[in-house]
Amino acid sequence: MPKKKPVTKHPVLILGIGNTLLKDDGIGIHVTRKLEKLPLHKNVTLMDGGTGGLNLFEAITTHKKIIIIDAIDLKSVPGTIKRISLDEARLILDETHSSMHQNSISEVFKLAESLGKRLDVVIFGIQPKEVAAGLELTHELKAVIPAAIRQILAELR
């Protein structure tokens, strides 16, 4: 008899990735913090994923759907938001290698898939303006937080 897969209480994980000490690199964390203030469905888990890494393996593999918010070099205007599939993200990350945490999250996906986990991942990549020492987002990225939240809420529907 096949074993039943454990059912998670929270099938959707919204994962903010980034480093809040590096200005716009922390956009994923800033968006997640704003989402914490909203009344979300009880099946949604919000998580500050920091700079990623293998410590996110369990969270990623125990949720049915993962929505990631991260600063990604999209070769676009600062503040541009792009919904990216996992396959598209792999191409972007392989081409840019633009930050340490993007590479490590990619490794978590590869490990999960090598263990037979089927991942349903959507990434909202946001083009940073400045990734340098500092705690504040640039004006361009502060301004797109409401739009990012709207897109994430639409994804949840």
Side-chain angles (χ1 to χ4, degrees):
M1 177 185 290
K3 289 184 181 180
K4 277 187 162 183
K5 290 185 179 181
V7 176
T8 177
K9 291 182 187 176
H10 306 286
V12 179
L13 172 65
I14 299 176
L15 183 61
I17 301 287
N19 185 339
T20 56
L21 300 175
L22 296 175
K23 292 189 177 186
D24 292 348
D25 190 61
I27 186 66
I29 308 299
H30 289 281
V31 171
T32 303
R33 287 177 183 164
K34 294 286 187 189
L35 285 166
E36 288 173 348
K37 298 175 183 175
L38 300 178
L40 298 175
H41 192 276
K42 64 182 178 181
N43 288 335
V44 175
T45 300
L46 292 166
M47 184 175 179
D48 174 338
T51 56
L54 288 176
N55 59 322
L56 299 177
F57 181 79
E58 183 178 359
I60 286 172
T61 58
T62 58
H63 287 81
K64 292 180 182 177
K65 181 175 183 88
I66 300 102
I67 299 172
I68 296 174
I69 309 109
D70 194 7
I72 297 178
D73 184 1
L74 302 168
K75 309 284 189 237
S76 190
V77 175
T80 299
I81 303 168
K82 183 174 181 187
R83 183 187 184 279
I84 305 167
S85 70
L86 183 55
D87 290 335
E88 288 175 298
R90 286 190 179 110
L91 293 174
I92 291 169
L93 298 177
D94 287 344
E95 288 174 9
T96 64
H97 295 281
S98 60
S99 78
M100 246 173 55
H101 61 268
Q102 289 170 350
N103 290 329
S104 64
I105 199 81
S106 180
E107 293 301 317
V108 172
F109 297 148
K110 288 177 189 173
L111 176 60
E113 289 172 333
S114 73
L115 296 172
K117 301 287 183 183
R118 188 162 182 257
L119 300 176
D120 181 4
V121 178
V122 171
I123 300 167
F124 286 94
I126 303 175
Q127 175 67 50
K129 178 179 182 183
E130 188 176 356
V131 177
L135 300 175
E136 294 291 320
L137 293 171
T138 59
H139 175 71
E140 291 84 350
L141 267 67
K142 281 182 189 176
V144 300
I145 290 175
I149 289 172
R150 282 192 300 276
Q151 289 185 35
I152 292 161
L153 294 176
E155 186 72 30
L156 290 173
R157 291 185 212 111

